[in-house]
Amino acid sequence: MVNINEIRDFINSSLYKTALDKLEKKYKITTNGKELPSVLFEYNANDINLSGATLSDLENIYVE
């Protein structure tokens, strides 16, 4: 099961930030670089846990 701290670490990882940079360039959008409220990490963790996915699954998507 994924927890809030793991989500926070994932979102602050270089892999995630690189993926956001690529999306911003590809779609000519901007993202908010501010720290997210902890409650959003809880929602993300719940969604990931309910889906049966792991953070490793998500990381593999970003690497492709």
Side-chain angles (χ1 to χ4, degrees):
M1 295 199 71
V2 177
N3 66 46
I4 294 170
N5 291 327
E6 292 170 325
I7 297 292
R8 182 179 288 113
D9 291 344
F10 178 71
I11 289 175
N12 289 321
S13 73
S14 62
L15 179 65
Y16 186 85
K17 290 179 181 184
T18 299
L20 279 181
D21 288 342
K22 288 179 181 179
L23 288 171
E24 287 179 343
K25 288 176 184 170
K26 182 175 182 174
Y27 296 106
K28 296 178 176 52
I29 59 172
T30 57
T31 58
N32 183 346
K34 295 181 182 178
E35 178 73 23
L36 297 172
S38 293
V39 69
L40 294 180
F41 296 133
E42 186 174 338
Y43 287 124
N44 292 143
N46 287 336
D47 288 342
I48 292 168
N49 289 329
L50 288 172
S51 76
T54 65
L55 285 181
S56 294
D57 295 331
L58 296 177
E59 288 169 348
N60 288 332
I61 292 170
Y62 289 117
V63 173
E64 295 177 358

